[in-house]
Amino acid sequence: MDRVRKGRPGVRRRIGAAIAVGAAAVLAVTALAAPAQSADVKAADVNVAKNAGFESDLSNWTCAANSGAAVTSPVHGGTKALKATPAGQNNAECSQIVKVKPNSTYKLSSWVQGSYVYLGARGTGTTDVSTWTPGNSSWQQLSTTFTTGANTTSVTVYTHGWYGQSAYYADDVSVLGPDGGGGTDPVEIPAVPTGLAAGTTTSTSVDLSWTPVSTATGYTVYRDGTKVASASGASTTVTGLTPETTYSFQVSASNAAGESAKSTAVSVRTAKGGGGDGGTVPKHALTGYWQNFNNGATVQKLRDVSSQYDIIAVSFADATTTPGQITFNLDPAVGYSSTADFKADIAAKHAAGKSVILSVGGEKGTISVNSDASAAAFANSAYALMQEYGFDGVDIDLENGLNPTYMSKALHQLSAKAGSKLVLTMAPQTIDMQSTSGGYFQTALNVKDILTVVNMQYYNSGSMLGCDGKVYSQGSVDFLTALACIQLEGGLDPSQVGIGVPASTRGAGSGYVAPSVVNNALDCLTRGTGCGSFKPSKTYPSLRGAMTWSTNWDATAGNAWSNAVGPKVHSLP
C-alpha cells in the first residue's frame, strides 16, 4: 500500500500483460500443477553439467546480454551462485551445452530463488522440457526429466527469469544421467540422514533435528509423506500444525546428484491449543485501511471512520535499524493533539465492537524477517506496540517479498504472546497468490491456525489466471471470483478469504470496480448468484467479507463504498 496509492501499478501491469499475452497458454497448463516427476537415479549416473555450482564464476555458461554474474550471497551450496537480471526484452537466460548419450534419460534440476525462474532443456532430440516457479524468497528446487533422441549427443540446458522482473538466483545445477563423454562434476547422492528427533512441540509447531550428512547441500522434511519444508542445516521448525494431532515426519538429504531416500520416521503429537478465533471479528467482516499520512484523501481521525468497518488497519508500522523490529510514529498531519488522544480513539472503537490492527509494509515498507533473530525482534516489537496502543493484532502487507519460514515463525511467536484473540490479516498482491508455491501463499498456509483473513488486492495487477486456468482481466466480477477460487481451493478456509478493492478510482492506479460488482462477487461466492462467465463449482457461505484501500479515499467519495458493500457483507449467510 503506497503512501500515494496502494500497489505498484507500473510493474504490475507489465507482469499482467506478459502473462496474458506472452505466456497465457503455458501458464494455464502449469501454474497450479506440480513439477514433473524425476526418473530413478542409477548408480552409474553422473552430473554432466560443468561448473554446476558456479564456483568458477561463469565458466562453461553463457548469459544473454551479459545479464549474469557469479555472486557470493545468497548461495545454496558452496561459496558462489548465479545472479541474473532481466532487462527490457532480455529475460536473462543463462545456458550451457552439455554432452549426453543418445537414447538416455536425464534428470535436470537446479536450486533457484527469486521471481519467475524457469529451468529447461532444448535440443533433446525428443520433447524439449521446462519447469518454473512464480517466485520464492528462499531457495527451492526445480526439477524435470528429458530423454535424448537416437542421434543426440549434446543438449542445451538453461535457466531464465521473466521480463520486467527483478534478478533471480540459481545454484547447484544438475544434469544427472549417463556420461556423455564431455567430462563431469562428479557428485554422489548423499547418505540417508539418521538421528531424526523432535524437540520443542507446541499446539501448532514442532522443532526437528537430525545428524548432518557430510555431502549434503540441503534437506527436505516430509510430513505424512508430503514435502512440507526445506532446510540448509540439520534442523528446522515445522509450523501450521493442528492441535492435538499426531504426525509422522521424515527427512532426506540432497546435493547436485539428487535426493537420498527418506529417513526412519519419527511420530509427534502436537499439544492442546487455544487456536486463533479472530478475536472479536464477526463472522463476516469489512476491513478498511486508515492512512496515518496525508496524500490528498480526506484526513481522518479514527473516530471519523465509518461504523461499517469491523477491522481498521492503521497504515503503516515503521522499520527500525534492528532487522525485523517495527515501531509506530503517529503523523502530525493526521491532526491528533497527542498520542493519548489517538489511543483513546482506539479504545472507543473497541467499545463499539471494532478491531484496530497495525499494518506492516505497504509498497515502501522495508521490514525484513529472514532469520531467527529478526523473527523474534518482529514478534517482540509487535506485541509491545499492541500493549502500548491497544492494537488487536497486525496486518502483513509486505509487497517486496517475504520469507515464509521466518515470517511464519514470527507470527506464531506473536500469537503465543498475544493469545487466541490476536487479529492477523494479510493483503498480498494478486501475483503473490497465483500458486501455493509462492512465499506469501506458503506463509498464509503456515499460519492458518491463527489467521483471521487474507484480503488479496484485486487491483494494480493487469490480467491474471483464475483457478480454472483461464486468464481474466481486472475490473470484472470474474476477476474477483476466479482469483478468489485459487485461495478457496488452495487450502485456506473460506472464513479466511476476503476481497480487497479500491474505495474509489483515486485509490489505485487501475482495477477499480463499482461497489455493485463487489456485491455481485460476494453473492456469487457465497450464494452462487450474480456470477459472470465464471461460476465456482460450489459456494462458500462462510467467506469472510471484503476490504478496501482506504477509509480515507472512501470518505473522499462520501463513504459510498462502505455504505454499499458494508450492508452486503453483514448480510451474507
Side-chain angles (χ1 to χ4, degrees), residues 225-250:
T226 300
K227 177 181 176 180
V228 293
S230 297
S232 57
S235 65
T236 192
T237 298
V238 178
T239 59
L241 306 179
T242 301
E244 298 183 275
T245 302
T246 299
Y247 296 95
S248 177
F249 292 96
Q250 294 172 283

PDB file of all heavy atoms in Angstrom, residues 225-250:
ATOM      1  N   GLY A 225       4.432 -38.130   4.564  1.00  0.00           N
ATOM      2  CA  GLY A 225       4.773 -38.435   3.184  1.00  0.00           C
ATOM      3  C   GLY A 225       4.758 -37.269   2.226  1.00  0.00           C
ATOM      4  O   GLY A 225       5.137 -37.417   1.068  1.00  0.00           O
ATOM      5  N   THR A 226       4.337 -36.088   2.702  1.00  0.00           N
ATOM      6  CA  THR A 226       4.258 -34.901   1.841  1.00  0.00           C
ATOM      7  C   THR A 226       5.330 -33.887   2.232  1.00  0.00           C
ATOM      8  O   THR A 226       5.510 -33.604   3.415  1.00  0.00           O
ATOM      9  CB  THR A 226       2.876 -34.244   1.956  1.00  0.00           C
ATOM     10  OG1 THR A 226       1.876 -35.178   1.565  1.00  0.00           O
ATOM     11  CG2 THR A 226       2.787 -33.011   1.062  1.00  0.00           C
ATOM     12  N   LYS A 227       6.028 -33.350   1.233  1.00  0.00           N
ATOM     13  CA  LYS A 227       7.063 -32.356   1.499  1.00  0.00           C
ATOM     14  C   LYS A 227       6.451 -31.114   2.132  1.00  0.00           C
ATOM     15  O   LYS A 227       5.497 -30.541   1.612  1.00  0.00           O
ATOM     16  CB  LYS A 227       7.770 -31.975   0.198  1.00  0.00           C
ATOM     17  CG  LYS A 227       8.826 -30.889   0.384  1.00  0.00           C
ATOM     18  CD  LYS A 227       9.481 -30.533  -0.942  1.00  0.00           C
ATOM     19  CE  LYS A 227      10.465 -29.387  -0.769  1.00  0.00           C
ATOM     20  NZ  LYS A 227      11.111 -29.010  -2.050  1.00  0.00           N
ATOM     21  N   VAL A 228       7.006 -30.687   3.275  1.00  0.00           N
ATOM     22  CA  VAL A 228       6.476 -29.503   3.955  1.00  0.00           C
ATOM     23  C   VAL A 228       7.524 -28.439   4.235  1.00  0.00           C
ATOM     24  O   VAL A 228       7.190 -27.308   4.557  1.00  0.00           O
ATOM     25  CB  VAL A 228       5.786 -29.878   5.281  1.00  0.00           C
ATOM     26  CG1 VAL A 228       4.532 -30.690   5.017  1.00  0.00           C
ATOM     27  CG2 VAL A 228       6.738 -30.630   6.207  1.00  0.00           C
ATOM     28  N   ALA A 229       8.822 -28.788   4.125  1.00  0.00           N
ATOM     29  CA  ALA A 229       9.850 -27.799   4.451  1.00  0.00           C
ATOM     30  C   ALA A 229      11.174 -28.197   3.824  1.00  0.00           C
ATOM     31  O   ALA A 229      11.434 -29.374   3.552  1.00  0.00           O
ATOM     32  CB  ALA A 229      10.007 -27.667   5.965  1.00  0.00           C
ATOM     33  N   SER A 230      12.012 -27.189   3.577  1.00  0.00           N
ATOM     34  CA  SER A 230      13.389 -27.388   3.135  1.00  0.00           C
ATOM     35  C   SER A 230      14.310 -26.711   4.136  1.00  0.00           C
ATOM     36  O   SER A 230      13.948 -25.694   4.741  1.00  0.00           O
ATOM     37  CB  SER A 230      13.615 -26.801   1.740  1.00  0.00           C
ATOM     38  OG  SER A 230      12.816 -27.452   0.782  1.00  0.00           O
ATOM     39  N   ALA A 231      15.499 -27.265   4.314  1.00  0.00           N
ATOM     40  CA  ALA A 231      16.440 -26.693   5.276  1.00  0.00           C
ATOM     41  C   ALA A 231      17.847 -26.802   4.717  1.00  0.00           C
ATOM     42  O   ALA A 231      18.185 -27.771   4.032  1.00  0.00           O
ATOM     43  CB  ALA A 231      16.342 -27.407   6.620  1.00  0.00           C
ATOM     44  N   SER A 232      18.671 -25.819   5.010  1.00  0.00           N
ATOM     45  CA  SER A 232      20.067 -25.869   4.595  1.00  0.00           C
ATOM     46  C   SER A 232      20.932 -26.539   5.646  1.00  0.00           C
ATOM     47  O   SER A 232      22.004 -27.063   5.343  1.00  0.00           O
ATOM     48  CB  SER A 232      20.588 -24.452   4.321  1.00  0.00           C
ATOM     49  OG  SER A 232      20.421 -23.633   5.468  1.00  0.00           O
ATOM     50  N   GLY A 233      20.477 -26.514   6.914  1.00  0.00           N
ATOM     51  CA  GLY A 233      21.184 -27.168   8.005  1.00  0.00           C
ATOM     52  C   GLY A 233      20.398 -28.341   8.544  1.00  0.00           C
ATOM     53  O   GLY A 233      19.340 -28.699   8.011  1.00  0.00           O
ATOM     54  N   ALA A 234      20.914 -28.929   9.633  1.00  0.00           N
ATOM     55  CA  ALA A 234      20.327 -30.159  10.151  1.00  0.00           C
ATOM     56  C   ALA A 234      19.262 -29.916  11.213  1.00  0.00           C
ATOM     57  O   ALA A 234      19.177 -30.642  12.211  1.00  0.00           O
ATOM     58  CB  ALA A 234      21.430 -31.052  10.712  1.00  0.00           C
ATOM     59  N   SER A 235      18.446 -28.909  11.024  1.00  0.00           N
ATOM     60  CA  SER A 235      17.327 -28.653  11.933  1.00  0.00           C
ATOM     61  C   SER A 235      16.355 -27.700  11.258  1.00  0.00           C
ATOM     62  O   SER A 235      16.734 -26.938  10.357  1.00  0.00           O
ATOM     63  CB  SER A 235      17.804 -28.053  13.256  1.00  0.00           C
ATOM     64  OG  SER A 235      18.380 -26.771  13.051  1.00  0.00           O
ATOM     65  N   THR A 236      15.109 -27.746  11.700  1.00  0.00           N
ATOM     66  CA  THR A 236      14.107 -26.811  11.196  1.00  0.00           C
ATOM     67  C   THR A 236      12.914 -26.846  12.127  1.00  0.00           C
ATOM     68  O   THR A 236      12.787 -27.738  12.974  1.00  0.00           O
ATOM     69  CB  THR A 236      13.668 -27.173   9.758  1.00  0.00           C
ATOM     70  OG1 THR A 236      12.918 -26.092   9.203  1.00  0.00           O
ATOM     71  CG2 THR A 236      12.791 -28.421   9.745  1.00  0.00           C
ATOM     72  N   THR A 237      12.026 -25.875  11.981  1.00  0.00           N
ATOM     73  CA  THR A 237      10.769 -25.847  12.719  1.00  0.00           C
ATOM     74  C   THR A 237       9.631 -25.963  11.722  1.00  0.00           C
ATOM     75  O   THR A 237       9.535 -25.164  10.789  1.00  0.00           O
ATOM     76  CB  THR A 237      10.619 -24.550  13.535  1.00  0.00           C
ATOM     77  OG1 THR A 237      11.682 -24.480  14.500  1.00  0.00           O
ATOM     78  CG2 THR A 237       9.282 -24.524  14.268  1.00  0.00           C
ATOM     79  N   VAL A 238       8.785 -26.958  11.909  1.00  0.00           N
ATOM     80  CA  VAL A 238       7.614 -27.140  11.055  1.00  0.00           C
ATOM     81  C   VAL A 238       6.430 -26.478  11.743  1.00  0.00           C
ATOM     82  O   VAL A 238       6.129 -26.771  12.908  1.00  0.00           O
ATOM     83  CB  VAL A 238       7.320 -28.631  10.813  1.00  0.00           C
ATOM     84  CG1 VAL A 238       6.066 -28.791   9.947  1.00  0.00           C
ATOM     85  CG2 VAL A 238       8.509 -29.304  10.152  1.00  0.00           C
ATOM     86  N   THR A 239       5.757 -25.571  11.044  1.00  0.00           N
ATOM     87  CA  THR A 239       4.646 -24.821  11.619  1.00  0.00           C
ATOM     88  C   THR A 239       3.346 -25.158  10.888  1.00  0.00           C
ATOM     89  O   THR A 239       3.319 -25.974   9.981  1.00  0.00           O
ATOM     90  CB  THR A 239       4.915 -23.311  11.529  1.00  0.00           C
ATOM     91  OG1 THR A 239       5.084 -22.948  10.143  1.00  0.00           O
ATOM     92  CG2 THR A 239       6.172 -22.931  12.291  1.00  0.00           C
ATOM     93  N   GLY A 240       2.259 -24.502  11.311  1.00  0.00           N
ATOM     94  CA  GLY A 240       0.982 -24.688  10.649  1.00  0.00           C
ATOM     95  C   GLY A 240       0.301 -26.003  10.979  1.00  0.00           C
ATOM     96  O   GLY A 240      -0.542 -26.487  10.218  1.00  0.00           O
ATOM     97  N   LEU A 241       0.649 -26.605  12.126  1.00  0.00           N
ATOM     98  CA  LEU A 241       0.068 -27.885  12.509  1.00  0.00           C
ATOM     99  C   LEU A 241      -1.237 -27.694  13.279  1.00  0.00           C
ATOM    100  O   LEU A 241      -1.523 -26.603  13.781  1.00  0.00           O
ATOM    101  CB  LEU A 241       1.068 -28.670  13.369  1.00  0.00           C
ATOM    102  CG  LEU A 241       2.460 -28.872  12.754  1.00  0.00           C
ATOM    103  CD1 LEU A 241       3.352 -29.642  13.713  1.00  0.00           C
ATOM    104  CD2 LEU A 241       2.362 -29.588  11.412  1.00  0.00           C
ATOM    105  N   THR A 242      -2.011 -28.747  13.388  1.00  0.00           N
ATOM    106  CA  THR A 242      -3.285 -28.726  14.092  1.00  0.00           C
ATOM    107  C   THR A 242      -3.086 -29.220  15.528  1.00  0.00           C
ATOM    108  O   THR A 242      -2.393 -30.228  15.744  1.00  0.00           O
ATOM    109  CB  THR A 242      -4.306 -29.629  13.377  1.00  0.00           C
ATOM    110  OG1 THR A 242      -4.468 -29.160  12.036  1.00  0.00           O
ATOM    111  CG2 THR A 242      -5.654 -29.606  14.089  1.00  0.00           C
ATOM    112  N   PRO A 243      -3.665 -28.549  16.511  1.00  0.00           N
ATOM    113  CA  PRO A 243      -3.512 -29.002  17.903  1.00  0.00           C
ATOM    114  C   PRO A 243      -4.038 -30.424  18.106  1.00  0.00           C
ATOM    115  O   PRO A 243      -4.956 -30.873  17.412  1.00  0.00           O
ATOM    116  CB  PRO A 243      -4.351 -27.985  18.685  1.00  0.00           C
ATOM    117  CG  PRO A 243      -4.389 -26.767  17.824  1.00  0.00           C
ATOM    118  CD  PRO A 243      -4.417 -27.283  16.418  1.00  0.00           C
ATOM    119  N   GLU A 244      -3.406 -31.110  19.040  1.00  0.00           N
ATOM    120  CA  GLU A 244      -3.815 -32.455  19.445  1.00  0.00           C
ATOM    121  C   GLU A 244      -3.928 -33.414  18.254  1.00  0.00           C
ATOM    122  O   GLU A 244      -4.890 -34.162  18.111  1.00  0.00           O
ATOM    123  CB  GLU A 244      -5.141 -32.403  20.210  1.00  0.00           C
ATOM    124  CG  GLU A 244      -5.077 -31.606  21.508  1.00  0.00           C
ATOM    125  CD  GLU A 244      -6.376 -31.653  22.264  1.00  0.00           C
ATOM    126  OE1 GLU A 244      -7.258 -30.824  21.936  1.00  0.00           O
ATOM    127  OE2 GLU A 244      -6.532 -32.485  23.161  1.00  0.00           O
ATOM    128  N   THR A 245      -2.914 -33.384  17.404  1.00  0.00           N
ATOM    129  CA  THR A 245      -2.891 -34.228  16.205  1.00  0.00           C
ATOM    130  C   THR A 245      -1.544 -34.943  16.114  1.00  0.00           C
ATOM    131  O   THR A 245      -0.502 -34.347  16.397  1.00  0.00           O
ATOM    132  CB  THR A 245      -3.113 -33.395  14.938  1.00  0.00           C
ATOM    133  OG1 THR A 245      -4.362 -32.705  15.044  1.00  0.00           O
ATOM    134  CG2 THR A 245      -3.134 -34.272  13.696  1.00  0.00           C
ATOM    135  N   THR A 246      -1.556 -36.211  15.719  1.00  0.00           N
ATOM    136  CA  THR A 246      -0.328 -36.986  15.577  1.00  0.00           C
ATOM    137  C   THR A 246       0.152 -36.936  14.134  1.00  0.00           C
ATOM    138  O   THR A 246      -0.629 -37.170  13.200  1.00  0.00           O
ATOM    139  CB  THR A 246      -0.562 -38.447  15.997  1.00  0.00           C
ATOM    140  OG1 THR A 246      -0.965 -38.476  17.382  1.00  0.00           O
ATOM    141  CG2 THR A 246       0.715 -39.262  15.841  1.00  0.00           C
ATOM    142  N   TYR A 247       1.438 -36.632  13.965  1.00  0.00           N
ATOM    143  CA  TYR A 247       2.049 -36.539  12.639  1.00  0.00           C
ATOM    144  C   TYR A 247       3.270 -37.456  12.569  1.00  0.00           C
ATOM    145  O   TYR A 247       3.932 -37.726  13.577  1.00  0.00           O
ATOM    146  CB  TYR A 247       2.507 -35.110  12.340  1.00  0.00           C
ATOM    147  CG  TYR A 247       1.395 -34.093  12.254  1.00  0.00           C
ATOM    148  CD1 TYR A 247       1.054 -33.328  13.367  1.00  0.00           C
ATOM    149  CD2 TYR A 247       0.706 -33.884  11.071  1.00  0.00           C
ATOM    150  CE1 TYR A 247       0.044 -32.373  13.297  1.00  0.00           C
ATOM    151  CE2 TYR A 247      -0.310 -32.940  10.985  1.00  0.00           C
ATOM    152  CZ  TYR A 247      -0.632 -32.197  12.101  1.00  0.00           C
ATOM    153  OH  TYR A 247      -1.634 -31.254  12.029  1.00  0.00           O
ATOM    154  N   SER A 248       3.598 -37.901  11.350  1.00  0.00           N
ATOM    155  CA  SER A 248       4.803 -38.683  11.099  1.00  0.00           C
ATOM    156  C   SER A 248       5.744 -37.860  10.231  1.00  0.00           C
ATOM    157  O   SER A 248       5.352 -37.390   9.152  1.00  0.00           O
ATOM    158  CB  SER A 248       4.449 -39.993  10.390  1.00  0.00           C
ATOM    159  OG  SER A 248       5.618 -40.727  10.074  1.00  0.00           O
ATOM    160  N   PHE A 249       6.994 -37.687  10.709  1.00  0.00           N
ATOM    161  CA  PHE A 249       7.962 -36.868   9.983  1.00  0.00           C
ATOM    162  C   PHE A 249       9.143 -37.720   9.515  1.00  0.00           C
ATOM    163  O   PHE A 249       9.579 -38.656  10.200  1.00  0.00           O
ATOM    164  CB  PHE A 249       8.494 -35.740  10.871  1.00  0.00           C
ATOM    165  CG  PHE A 249       7.459 -34.699  11.203  1.00  0.00           C
ATOM    166  CD1 PHE A 249       6.749 -34.766  12.397  1.00  0.00           C
ATOM    167  CD2 PHE A 249       7.183 -33.670  10.319  1.00  0.00           C
ATOM    168  CE1 PHE A 249       5.800 -33.814  12.711  1.00  0.00           C
ATOM    169  CE2 PHE A 249       6.227 -32.714  10.618  1.00  0.00           C
ATOM    170  CZ  PHE A 249       5.530 -32.789  11.821  1.00  0.00           C
ATOM    171  N   GLN A 250       9.664 -37.383   8.317  1.00  0.00           N
ATOM    172  CA  GLN A 250      10.883 -37.975   7.775  1.00  0.00           C
ATOM    173  C   GLN A 250      11.711 -36.862   7.147  1.00  0.00           C
ATOM    174  O   GLN A 250      11.197 -35.775   6.850  1.00  0.00           O
ATOM    175  CB  GLN A 250      10.552 -39.030   6.715  1.00  0.00           C
ATOM    176  CG  GLN A 250       9.829 -40.267   7.239  1.00  0.00           C
ATOM    177  CD  GLN A 250       9.368 -41.162   6.111  1.00  0.00           C
ATOM    178  OE1 GLN A 250       8.362 -40.867   5.451  1.00  0.00           O
ATOM    179  NE2 GLN A 250      10.087 -42.248   5.869  1.00  0.00           N
TER     180      GLN A 250
END
